[in-house]
Amino acid sequence: MKKHLVSASDLTKEDAVLVLDTAKELATISDRPVKKLPTLRGRTVVNLFFEDSTRTRISFEAASKRLSADVINFSAKGSSVSKGESLKDTAQTLQSMGADAVVIRHGSSGAPHLLATRNWIDAVVINAGDGTHEHPTQALLDAYTIRKHLRKNEGDLSGIKVAIVGDILHSRVARSNAILLKTLGATPIMVAPPTLLPVGIENWNGEYSYNLDDVLPKVDAVMMLRVQQERMNDAYFPTAREYSRNFGLNAQRLKRMQEHALVLHPGPMNRGMEITAEVADSKNSVVIEQVANGVSVRMAVLYLLLGGSNSEMGENSL
Amino acid sequence: MGANSRNSARVVLESSDISRALTRIAHEILENNKGSKNLVLLGIPSRGVPLANRIAEKISEFEKVNIPVGSLDITMYRDDLRLKPPRALAKTEIPEGGIDHKVVVLVDDVLFSGRTIRAALDALNDIGRPAMVQVAVLIDRGHRELPIRADYVGKNIPTSRNESVQVLLADTDNNEEIVTISAGQQ
């Protein structure tokens, strides 16, 4: 594996399967009386969150703590960032405090890349979502959830078709998923109104469609993306109601899907908008499980990037 | 391993020897614990797991009862994690009924520095509180680095530190024998 996890494309197929297999074993510790492993004792993980997040931050925090790492939470609000401190200065502060890993969420695409490549810090950089770019650990937990249900928690995802529906243009989740699903041998199908598909979608590794009803019967899983409220006024679609009618997942549409098909959502859900409450709470929905799987997958990533000797990993080896 | 051409391999136990050693270990476990009550066997991956299963089979043959067998992966508890690239994890399967108040017999192929058993003891600690922990190994090759000993030993094989001992089992290696490989002069 590479030293950092900035993009889903940093993972080869072998790496990705290793993360999922490791996560599978780590998932069993949540059934134990002592939900803790000593593996990262004495290591410091900094959660550097420039953007609001509940589940990703808590998930990384729980994962780090279960591996006995020390966790320092940093949010831009109430820090020197609000006084205008630059990313470089913040990074160097963390460096001098001895951070071994920096989990970064940033509103600007490319911030984790900058941190990983500029030699400001020695720490491992893990992207927890940057702008409209990528969110690789979300893609890993989605792949884990799909694999667990449809491939008995083993091997890759070859032959599986996954529809990713909604705001593809602004979604870092969609981008990372498209890359990782392809790496694992699955076929991602992007579904959105033309205004919400990025320019050059035909060059992405996968299929795309403007029509949800055509796609649904042939997929094994459907991933609904949140319609970001802040985009509502930007005229990407005429009205929320129209979007919901054409691209929302409701009970009728669910019926047209294959029986084994899964419904995923990275959260937070807008019930009644991209997904109805009935579907969100149906037996096909694995939304709640995704959250639990997120902790296992992030533990696996932290262990694989931080647990061994740094010198043996990544481009900097030897 | 370095100078491959100068390595010499020597078979020290054959399949039938291994089987006899395991039979004796099974008897000793029963004798020591006055029967199979409360026994749990936990194999340490990878070779310890098939060995634990075989000992359990023999015990159930002698005593006509099934005893619980599981596996205990110790990777996350190793003290040399930071010296090597991260390893893939193996399965931990604790048999139903858990290990609380049980006599847990840890089973591994080779006892060397004792660090694996140290890690296993830590791992057990996070899973429950056994009444007693015992250690069974097929080979004790000496060179302990910690105050740890085995309760049941298949065979003591005096080795030098540059030698390596390889256990091959039908279940994992399609071949069954124990080989020592001496690495030669460095």
Side-chain angles (χ1 to χ4, degrees), chain A residues 23 27 55-56 59-60 135 137-149 162-164 173 177 221-226 262-269 275 279-280 284-298:
Chain A
R55 73 199 70 215
T56 306
S59 182
F60 267 110
H135 194 352
T137 56
Q138 177 71 41
L140 282 165
L141 79 88
D142 291 336
Y144 180 89
T145 309
I146 293 170
R147 190 178 84 145
K148 188 174 168 194
H149 284 271
V162 182
I164 304 177
V173 176
N177 260 302
V222 58
M223 201 175 285
M224 304 307 297
L225 301 174
R226 182 172 68 96
L262 306 174
V263 177
L264 295 97
H265 194 300
M269 292 188 279
I275 189 166
V279 175
N284 300 65
S285 164
V286 289
V287 178
I288 295 301
E289 207 196 300
Q290 282 175 272
V291 179
N293 294 342
V295 177
S296 311
V297 162
R298 285 169 182 128

Side-chain angles (χ1 to χ4, degrees), chain A residues 34-88:
Chain A
V34 179
K35 296 179 186 47
K36 214 169 173 73
L37 293 166
T39 317
L40 297 184
R41 210 158 59 93
R43 299 248 161 158
T44 304
V45 176
V46 176
N47 282 330
L48 189 58
F49 277 64
F50 291 93
E51 223 184 47
D52 293 339
S53 157
T54 337
R55 73 199 70 215
T56 306
R57 188 178 60 72
I58 292 177
S59 182
F60 267 110
E61 187 171 348
S64 308
K65 285 183 171 167
R66 284 193 183 174
L67 292 172
S68 304
D70 295 317
V71 186
I72 298 174
N73 284 312
F74 170 102
S75 58
K77 270 177 213 145
S79 74
S80 293
V81 172
S82 52
K83 297 176 193 161
E85 189 176 48
S86 70
L87 182 61
K88 181 178 177 180

Side-chain angles (χ1 to χ4, degrees), chain B residues 100-128:
Chain B
D100 287 344
H101 317 298
K102 300 283 173 66
V103 175
V104 172
V105 182
L106 294 170
V107 184
D108 203 0
D109 54 352
V110 180
L111 182 58
F112 183 22
S113 64
R115 289 176 190 268
T116 302
I117 300 299
R118 198 280 312 161
L121 293 173
D122 279 357
L124 278 184
N125 205 22
D126 285 354
I127 293 168

Side-chain angles (χ1 to χ4, degrees), chain A residues 18 22 24-26 32-34 36-39 41-43 67 303-304 307-309 312-313, chain B residues 72-73 75-77 81-92 122-123 125-128:
Chain A
L18 176 65
T22 305
K24 176 171 82 173
E25 296 308 325
L26 292 174
R32 293 205 201 155
V34 179
K36 214 169 173 73
L37 293 166
T39 317
R41 210 158 59 93
R43 299 248 161 158
L67 292 172
Y303 163 61
L304 292 170
S309 56
E312 297 275 356
M313 296 200 301
Chain B
L72 181 69
D73 179 44
T75 309
M76 301 300 264
Y77 295 87
L81 271 177
R82 292 220 205 148
L83 306 177
K84 291 175 186 170
R87 306 146 178 261
L89 304 184
K91 264 197 166 39
T92 294
D122 279 357
N125 205 22
D126 285 354
I127 293 168

